[in-house]
Amino acid sequence: MSSTTTERLQGADARESNIAAGTALADAIGTTLGPKGLDKMLVGASGTVVVTNDGASILDRMDIEHPAAELVVNVANNQATKVGDGTTTAVLLTAKLLNKAQKLFEKGLHPFRVTRGYRRASEVAINRLDSAAITVAPDDERRLRDAASTAVTGKWDDNASATFADLAVRAVRAVETDGTVDLSRITLRPVTSGGLDDSTLIAGLAVDMESSSTSIEGVDLPHHIEDATLALVDTELTIDESNAVSNVSVDAPSTLQALREFENDAYAAKVAAFVDADVNVVVCQKSIDDALRRALASEDILTVERTRQDEMHKLAAATDGELVTSVDELSPKTVGDADSVERRHLGNTDLLVVTENRDSQHVSLLLRGGTQHVVDESKRITENCIRVVTLTVESGQVLPGGGATELRLARELRDYADGVDDREQLAVRAFADALETVPQTLASTAGVDPIDALVELRARHHDGDHNVGLNTATGQPQSMVDSGVVEPLVVKQHAVANAEEAANMLLRIDDVIAAEHEDNGDETSGDHASHDHGSGGYPWAIGH
Ligand code: ADP
Ligand code: MG
């Protein structure tokens, strides 16, 4: 059995405990910021080792116990789900705001003034973001590629990142109409063969036939069907044998013969149903019985079985067909049409490529790579690119990256601070300082002295070069727009708002109940007098 003792931290102690947890998190992930960020080696839940500098993945896998740290992780999750990028920035900013608050408390500033100053600073900063933004036309492929590369450069193989950024731009452009992107028309298909560079974008919907046995001995199935009609079947395709068995008892040669005839008739009826509906491809979500596949093949009907549910739905949308649960439902309305259906064999992967004859066409990205790990990673990176390109197309605005925007905001906030009440302006200035840790951190991960870099960057901004940030590829301050380092406006808006909300929430908490959980197990016995909340304890935070 186990027992629990609770300890209560109030006021300054509670805040200090939250700040310590938040800062520890910033230390843990700050070094991963930017394309030159340090790679971290992590052991995933299943014991697999992962090497990454992706903030979101790291937080995902960290074993976090302090409730304050958990709230900071929520910042990352929120950022990742809402906009899909800027997670490391948001977390770094949150933790720096907490850290700076501690210094302000030590100077005697009341928590209320700190949180109010932070709130004002973030509102001003978010407003100013609009005027810092650069408009991007939906067909400005170069800028779209820049936004995609900025999001993923350094996350993995650099050449591959450029390839994926390009593929993502082409895919998004293909499914974009008047500035709106229909992501349901993009399919990512990992293929474990070939090299990363063999990855391609193809017209049509590529369906995996991995678990489907399309070859039938002695039968030459068509590889390419023009003007195809597809039946999309949602249940197992077989003849109903239970019926057959209950109708005849298998005890005499004559009844055996009857059974065979019954079966043959049943198969014939099934095949006839497909033939009558002019079907030439049957895609089935479950299995198709061998005899039936053979019978269908003799009518030149291609069968694909065990197709995933989500792919069935995509097929229905792409071919304007419906899923049916019995052959009786086959009709001109339920069957789908396609310009062509093609079987493709890539390495050890079989694909069915369906090209529609309708306006809203599908595209598929065939992501190639030697191993499952490689293609999984390609998929993650490509998804990230697609997300960022979509945001850029739909919102039409980007900001210079590499810390340029944070430097600009910091400068504007310091100007703004001059007009704020004396004590609260310290909090506004602290907010500006926190923003500047972004270019500073990018500098230090790129091996450049962060203080020198900041001095030079500030000087350039003072001269009016608003787009100058630290190019981590060269280690030099450069125009981020010319260097192609840009991020969607919405990503930064979210990061700033998110960080302010989380930091302020934690700073307002002045009551933490730490429940120390005491096990009978060896490791913790007799050790509950320790005030170390990072290990063993289960503290709960109460906000108000
Ligand atoms: P993550 O995606 O790992 O969570 P963020 O998106 O929050 O990290 O931050 C990545 C930072 O790296 C952004 O500030 C972005 O502008 C910056 N960055 C990307 N490419 C470059 C580059 N070539 N030079 C400088 N900074 C870059
Ligand atoms: Mg990013």
Side-chain angles (χ1 to χ4, degrees):
M1 289 305 290
S2 66
S3 68
T4 304
T5 57
T6 58
E7 190 200 6
R8 191 166 194 154
L9 296 171
Q10 286 185 301
D13 287 345
R15 277 190 292 274
E16 213 168 294
S17 161
N18 289 342
I19 288 168
T23 308
L25 210 57
D27 291 343
I29 76 151
T31 54
T32 68
L33 185 75
K36 292 279 162 83
L38 294 182
D39 282 339
K40 301 242 173 202
M41 188 151 91
L42 307 154
V43 180
S46 54
T48 49
V49 174
V50 195
V51 176
T52 179
N53 70 6
D54 184 55
S57 315
I58 291 166
L59 287 167
D60 222 26
R61 293 175 170 107
M62 267 168 78
D63 190 11
I64 286 164
E65 284 198 352
H66 195 291
E70 261 182 58
L71 282 177
V72 181
V73 172
N74 284 345
V75 169
N77 290 339
N78 181 294
Q79 187 78 21
T81 47
K82 294 249 171 75
V83 287
D85 197 21
T87 42
T88 307
T89 303
V91 170
L92 188 68
L93 216 50
T94 310
K96 288 293 168 195
L97 288 174
L98 291 173
N99 181 258
K100 304 259 171 216
Q102 177 67 28
K103 306 230 160 71
L104 295 175
F105 295 160
E106 284 162 10
K107 283 188 189 157
L109 210 67
H110 190 276
F112 173 67
R113 287 193 178 273
V114 176
T115 53
R116 208 166 64 174
Y118 278 0
R119 166 50 64 97
R120 289 175 74 164
S122 86
E123 280 168 5
V124 172
I126 289 166
N127 273 333
R128 302 290 168 92
L129 282 176
D130 288 333
S131 44
I134 300 157
T135 303
V136 180
D139 62 353
D140 187 346
E141 298 202 354
R142 188 178 63 90
R143 275 278 148 71
L144 298 177
R145 261 197 309 273
D146 286 348
S149 313
T150 301
V152 300
T153 303
K155 296 252 150 118
W156 202 35
D157 180 299
D158 271 356
N159 283 333
S161 299
T163 307
F164 297 135
D166 180 54
L167 288 173
V169 169
R170 285 164 43 210
V172 170
R173 294 267 298 125
V175 301
E176 175 254 330
T177 345
D178 301 328
T180 305
V181 179
D182 181 359
L183 287 179
S184 70
R185 285 161 50 205
I186 299 181
T187 293
L188 298 188
R189 178 67 55 224
V191 176
T192 49
S193 79
L196 289 170
D197 289 342
D198 301 324
S199 300
T200 47
L201 177 76
I202 59 167
L205 170 60
V207 178
D208 205 345
M209 297 198 294
E210 206 173 11
S211 49
S212 165
S213 35
T214 38
S215 61
I216 300 172
E217 213 178 310
V219 182
D220 198 13
L221 284 165
H223 276 268
H224 192 109
I225 302 167
E226 297 280 341
D227 281 328
T229 302
L230 295 89
L232 308 171
V233 184
D234 209 16
T235 55
E236 201 172 336
L237 266 181
T238 177
I239 57 157
D240 201 340
E241 281 171 50
S242 59
N243 234 346
V245 176
S246 64
N247 284 349
V248 286
S249 55
V250 197
D251 54 5
S254 64
T255 46
L256 242 177
Q257 178 62 26
L259 176 62
R260 236 172 248 138
E261 272 168 24
F262 176 89
E263 281 188 354
N264 286 341
D265 289 351
Y267 281 124
K270 281 256 149 104
V271 173
F274 288 111
V275 172
D276 290 348
D278 281 335
V279 167
N280 21 43
V281 183
V282 178
V283 186
C284 183
Q285 203 236 313
K286 301 235 169 71
S287 61
I288 304 175
D289 124 9
D290 267 357
L292 187 56
R293 285 181 52 227
R294 192 169 273 281
L296 288 166
S298 65
E299 294 290 339
D300 266 349
I301 297 177
L302 185 63
T303 48
V304 180
E305 55 180 350
R306 288 184 283 267
T307 300
R308 287 205 323 261
Q309 188 81 44
D310 59 318
E311 300 193 307
M312 294 298 293
H313 288 293
K314 278 194 168 180
L315 276 167
T319 63
D320 202 16
E322 287 172 23
L323 305 197
V324 297
T325 49
S326 122
V327 291
D328 302 336
E329 294 168 35
L330 292 173
S331 73
K333 185 168 171 289
T334 57
V335 296
D337 308 298
D339 246 6
S340 71
V341 170
E342 195 189 339
R343 284 197 293 151
R344 284 203 203 168
H345 191 72
L346 291 179
N348 47 12
T349 305
D350 280 308
L351 295 172
L352 188 75
V353 180
V354 179
T355 321
E356 320 97 286
N357 46 9
R358 300 190 305 134
D359 296 340
S360 54
Q361 295 207 334
H362 246 89
V363 291
S364 301
L365 286 166
L366 308 182
L367 302 171
R368 320 265 315 251
T371 66
Q372 191 62 39
H373 173 73
V374 168
V375 292
D376 285 348
E377 208 56 19
S378 310
K379 183 160 180 274
R380 203 173 62 82
I381 301 279
T382 308
E383 277 167 349
N384 206 335
C385 287
I386 289 177
R387 193 87 192 271
V388 169
V389 175
T390 302
L391 278 179
T392 311
V393 166
E394 295 194 333
S395 71
Q397 299 208 287
V398 292
L399 289 165
T405 298
E406 285 83 355
L407 284 156
R408 177 178 180 151
L409 291 179
R411 197 178 150 68
E412 295 188 359
L413 279 179
R414 289 195 182 102
D415 284 346
Y416 168 80
D418 293 340
V420 175
D421 287 356
D422 50 331
R423 305 238 77 188
E424 219 160 283
Q425 70 166 248
L426 292 175
V428 176
R429 287 179 195 284
F431 202 99
D433 294 345
L435 286 167
E436 279 183 344
T437 55
V438 169
Q440 269 186 294
T441 309
L442 288 171
S444 63
T445 56
V448 177
D449 184 89
I451 311 275
D452 290 349
L454 188 60
V455 169
E456 197 177 339
L457 287 165
R458 275 183 176 169
R460 295 282 296 269
H461 275 253
H462 178 80
D463 294 341
D465 289 347
H466 294 313
N467 295 335
V468 171
L470 190 106
N471 189 343
T472 56
T474 59
Q476 299 294 320
Q478 274 164 359
S479 159
M480 291 292 102
V481 180
D482 298 345
S483 318
V485 180
V486 293
E487 300 170 74
L489 169 67
V490 270
V491 169
K492 203 67 83 188
Q493 282 171 336
H494 259 89
V496 174
N498 240 336
E500 178 265 322
E501 275 168 35
N504 270 352
M505 179 161 140
L506 285 169
L507 292 172
R508 277 194 285 266
I509 288 169
D510 53 12
D511 201 354
V512 173
I513 299 177
E516 295 217 346
H517 190 78
E518 188 191 334
D519 276 324
N520 266 3
D522 301 358
E523 329 132 56
T524 51
S525 58
D527 203 25
H528 64 280
S530 153
H531 279 232
D532 178 4
H533 302 286
S535 61
Y538 294 87
W540 302 94
I542 302 173
H544 48 105

